Amino acid sequence: MSIINQLKPEFWHNSDLSTGPFRQMFNFRRIWKISVLLTSLVTLLPLIIITSVDYNFTQKSIESDHLLRTLRIGSNAKRSISFFLSERLSALTFIVRTNPIEELAQPEKLDFILKNLLLSYHGFVDLGVIDQSGVQINYVGPYPLEGKDYSNQDWFKEVQGKGFYISEVFLGYRNTPHLIIAAKYALANGSFYVLRAALDTTRFNELLRGFELSGRGDAFLIDHAGVIQTPTLYHGKVFDTIPYTIPAYSDHTEIREESNKSGEEIIICSAYIPDSPYILVIVKEKDELMKPWRDTRFKLIVFLVISITIIVLAIFGFSTYMVNSMYLLDQRRLATLHQMEYSNKLASIGRLAAGVAHEINNPLAIINEKAGLIRDIITYTDSGSQNLRIPELIDSVLASVERCGRITKRLLGFARHMDSAIENVQLGEILKEVLGFLHKEAEYRNIAINLDLTNDLPQFQSDRGKLQQIFLNIINNAFSAMTVGGRLEIRVKRKGEGHILVTIGDNGCGMSEADLGKIFEPFFSTKTKTGGTGLGLSITYGLIQELGGTIQVTSKLGMGTTFAITLPLQPPRPVQRDS
């Protein structure tokens, strides 16, 4: 038998074998299925719905939190970069307005101003003064740029119109990445001059690297054409073009989601830096940002699975226990009803047998009396000498009458003990009475019966009627299991000081190990196709328990079956029930 079959409850294997008016009240499999289904729906469905809603809500909240946090960092970075550039441009504008061209044209004065700028502001590399013709008339710094002509360069043309200029990062004459800022000062005579300063991009880079970015975040600047202006960690080199869409112009910091070349989702925060050619770009990988959430999600899913498993096991266990209890109660109800029906049938049979025996005994008495009278007449007159067969025939009639008398006496004895009563019994006599009912069938089927009684069997207190039913049921079963030529062994002996052991063994068909464990269950029968109800041994088991005894059975398929019945010499005390 497989483990699954062993785990199945008793009602799962049940099929309604009861007949007549007493049948099972419910379809227990269907009740169990409905109970499990409804209980699971009521308990698990709300749990799954609430968990799903909470899961989606939490995930969206975390995603929204990452977007807002990145947007806030982008806004702060935009203000920091804008302040960095405007601060230096304001310083340059202040210098050009407070110092006449004559002083700015002096190298010593310009060098003094540059040194003071470096003390107050970081990032300045050099200073240059350019006249209205575009020629740099004075320059202090590490590069030989004095006398350079910028008249044809775009920045010089732009500063003439706007009054100031902030460049993109470029190589220029010095062949190193840098940016310049320039401020124009118009003279009263209509001419002008420009104060121009180069800024080191290192300060830019340090400023961008100072932001704490999670999720493999990367902050850098691009120009309006998408060319990278500052070093990036994962998105290309300076002067490369970014692999993402250039954000449309907006006065506000914007954020969007898109996929990179690998198909991974990324978050891009962008902000145009006012009065400059720069766009701040912050790129974060969404997968990295959501990694802590995935770890938490895995724990939640494991917790949910464990919870559902425990709930399902509890539902299965509780439903199985409840339905199985209902099944056992229903089986007990059916067994009680059938036992009552069985007792009523036995009582009716007993009354019928008593009536038949009584009706037969009267004519038997007359036949016996008349036959005896005929024998006396023949014996004491000469008429018997005329035919010698007449005495023999009369003896045969008297023998038959005596045999009929024993049968009716046995029937009366059987009927007299249908009611429950404790009395002195001799077990050998009871067995002989029971075998007396069956000896004709044994003769017809050539079944050999061996009754072995030890000499030390005492009389004891027990219920004669119940003992008759017990032995009649077991011997009837043994007859059913045997074919023609079978053998029935009945042995009775004392077992210890207080018990008697009766073993009834046959050499019939036997039973399998699986059937052996169920033979005392109500309605279990291997003879359902031949009319068996499965109640005989169940009732026998109950009667033996009522007498305070025990019954054991051993059997091998094809070898036969042996019942061992242990009966106490003293009847059990009646159970005192509460009123």
Side-chain angles (χ1 to χ4, degrees):
M1 186 180 293
S2 65
I3 296 178
I4 295 177
N5 285 333
Q6 291 181 354
L7 293 176
K8 285 182 179 177
E10 295 180 37
F11 66 85
W12 200 264
H13 303 282
N14 175 66
S15 58
D16 191 1
L17 299 176
S18 54
T19 57
F22 310 122
R23 303 185 66 83
Q24 289 183 345
M25 296 179 64
F26 309 105
N27 185 335
F28 293 98
R29 286 191 188 185
R30 185 181 178 189
I31 291 176
W32 183 84
K33 290 176 182 175
I34 293 175
S35 173
V36 170
L37 180 62
L38 291 180
T39 313
S40 300
L41 284 176
V42 170
T43 55
L44 295 181
L45 193 59
L47 175 64
I48 293 173
I49 291 175
I50 291 174
T51 305
S52 301
V53 171
D54 182 70
Y55 174 86
N56 291 324
F57 178 77
T58 305
Q59 183 172 350
K60 290 186 181 300
S61 298
I62 293 173
E63 290 177 352
S64 176
D65 183 64
H66 283 304
L67 293 176
L68 291 176
R69 189 179 302 172
T70 304
L71 192 64
R72 187 163 56 248
I73 293 174
S75 297
N76 293 335
K78 173 187 174 182
R79 284 193 293 271
S80 298
I81 295 170
S82 179
F83 177 76
F84 177 85
L85 295 174
S86 63
E87 183 185 45
R88 280 147 186 80
L89 182 61
S90 298
L92 208 63
T93 302
F94 178 78
I95 292 170
V96 77
R97 289 182 178 178
T98 55
N99 294 278
I101 183 64
E102 292 79 9
E103 292 183 3
L104 292 177
Q106 298 175 10
E108 297 78 8
K109 179 64 175 180
L110 197 62
D111 183 62
F112 176 76
I113 293 172
L114 177 60
K115 289 178 179 176
N116 281 285
L117 280 175
L118 290 174
L119 290 175
S120 302
Y121 307 98
H122 297 287
F124 283 97
V125 178
D126 56 16
L127 275 177
V129 180
I130 299 143
D131 61 14
Q132 62 179 359
S133 63
V135 176
Q136 187 157 258
I137 59 174
N138 192 14
Y139 171 81
V140 290
Y143 302 101
L145 300 177
E146 188 171 355
K148 289 291 183 183
D149 185 1
Y150 298 107
S151 59
N152 294 325
Q153 295 192 5
D154 292 337
W155 74 267
F156 185 71
K157 297 175 183 177
E158 186 175 338
V159 76
Q160 293 180 50
K162 288 175 59 177
F164 69 91
Y165 176 76
I166 300 175
S167 77
E168 301 169 355
V169 175
F170 65 103
L171 296 176
Y173 292 120
R174 60 196 76 183
N175 199 29
T176 182
H178 67 285
L179 65 96
I180 63 168
I181 58 175
K184 171 190 168 185
Y185 184 76
L187 297 174
N189 57 7
S191 62
F192 68 89
Y193 62 92
V194 174
L195 184 61
R196 178 179 184 270
L199 298 180
D200 187 359
T201 56
T202 304
R203 293 295 303 169
F204 248 22
N205 302 337
E206 291 176 352
L207 185 65
L208 293 170
R209 283 198 295 269
F211 300 109
E212 295 182 358
L213 302 174
S214 58
R216 283 172 59 88
D218 196 0
F220 52 94
L221 295 175
I222 62 172
D223 62 13
H224 293 181
V227 177
I228 297 173
Q229 301 291 294
T230 58
T232 72
L233 296 175
Y234 314 109
H235 303 89
K237 299 178 181 177
V238 177
F239 304 131
D240 288 347
T241 302
I242 61 168
Y244 310 115
T245 304
I246 300 172
Y249 177 77
S250 174
D251 290 333
H252 306 286
T253 304
E254 302 287 341
I255 193 165
R256 69 179 192 274
E257 296 182 35
E258 63 178 70
S259 300
N260 59 18
K261 292 181 179 178
S262 303
E264 299 169 341
E265 290 183 287
I266 57 174
I267 297 173
I268 297 179
C269 177
S270 60
Y272 278 77
I273 307 300
D275 299 325
S276 78
Y278 300 117
I279 304 173
L280 169 68
V281 176
I282 297 176
V283 181
K284 290 184 176 180
E285 295 182 6
K286 193 173 179 180
D287 189 59
E288 285 293 321
L289 288 173
M290 299 301 290
K291 189 174 181 180
W293 160 243
R294 285 202 305 274
D295 296 339
T296 305
R297 181 181 61 183
F298 176 75
K299 294 177 182 176
L300 288 175
I301 292 174
V302 170
F303 178 76
L304 178 64
V305 170
I306 292 175
S307 300
I308 290 176
T309 303
I310 292 174
I311 291 173
V312 169
L313 289 176
I315 290 173
F316 270 75
F318 184 72
S319 299
T320 304
Y321 173 76
M322 293 296 294
V323 176
N324 203 47
S325 298
M326 291 171 57
Y327 167 76
L328 293 177
L329 286 175
D330 196 53
Q331 290 293 95
R332 189 178 301 173
R333 179 187 66 85
L334 289 177
T336 302
L337 292 175
H338 279 281
Q339 191 166 2
M340 292 174 62
E341 184 186 23
Y342 179 78
S343 299
N344 288 333
K345 285 182 179 178
L346 283 179
S348 298
I349 292 173
R351 286 192 294 272
L352 179 63
V356 170
H358 180 72
E359 292 298 326
I360 291 176
N361 274 340
N362 290 333
L364 282 179
I366 296 172
I367 293 171
N368 187 49
E369 180 184 352
K370 299 302 180 184
L373 180 59
I374 293 171
R375 187 176 61 181
D376 292 342
I377 293 172
I378 292 173
T379 302
Y380 297 107
T381 62
D382 297 334
S383 57
S385 59
Q386 297 175 2
N387 191 342
L388 297 178
R389 288 199 59 194
I390 292 176
E392 296 178 358
L393 293 173
I394 291 173
D395 289 340
S396 177
V397 169
L398 291 174
S400 297
V401 168
E402 185 179 358
R403 180 167 174 268
C404 287
R406 288 199 301 271
I407 294 173
T408 55
K409 184 179 178 182
R410 193 179 300 150
L411 285 174
L412 286 172
F414 180 79
R416 190 165 50 247
H417 297 102
M418 285 296 99
D419 296 331
S420 178
I422 299 297
E423 57 185 298
N424 287 327
V425 296
Q426 180 59 255
L427 210 54
E429 293 178 0
I430 296 174
L431 283 168
K432 289 175 182 176
E433 284 179 5
V434 171
L435 291 174
F437 287 109
L438 300 169
H439 77 278
K440 280 296 178 185
E441 181 180 354
E443 289 177 6
Y444 294 149
R445 296 173 58 188
N446 195 24
I447 294 175
I449 300 175
N450 180 33
L451 178 61
D452 183 9
L453 304 170
T454 58
N455 296 326
D456 58 345
L457 293 178
Q459 281 191 342
F460 62 100
Q461 292 278 309
S462 189
D463 189 313
R464 188 182 191 91
K466 290 180 180 177
L467 289 174
Q468 285 178 336
Q469 292 180 45
I470 291 168
F471 296 132
L472 193 61
N473 283 339
I474 294 177
I475 295 173
N476 263 329
N477 277 345
F479 273 44
S480 300
M482 290 186 290
T483 57
V484 175
R487 183 172 183 81
L488 181 69
E489 294 283 348
I490 303 174
R491 293 188 175 85
V492 183
K493 64 179 181 180
R494 291 198 63 162
K495 182 180 180 181
E497 293 298 327
H499 295 83
I500 292 179
L501 175 64
V502 181
T503 56
I504 302 174
D506 64 70
N507 61 348
C509 58
M511 289 177 286
S512 66
E513 187 175 351
D515 293 338
L516 195 61
K518 301 178 181 177
I519 58 170
F520 295 122
E521 293 180 5
F523 309 112
F524 175 79
S525 174
T526 59
K527 301 178 290 184
T528 53
K529 295 181 180 179
T530 57
T533 62
L535 288 171
L537 287 178
S538 173
I539 292 173
T540 300
Y541 182 82
L543 293 175
I544 292 174
Q545 284 199 322
E546 289 176 10
L547 295 177
T550 60
I551 181 170
Q552 294 178 334
V553 58
T554 57
S555 183
K556 285 187 178 180
L557 200 60
M559 301 292 290
T561 304
T562 299
F563 288 88
I565 304 159
T566 302
L567 297 170
L569 294 179
Q570 292 296 327
R573 293 180 179 177
V575 178
Q576 297 294 331
R577 297 183 183 275
D578 296 335
S579 59

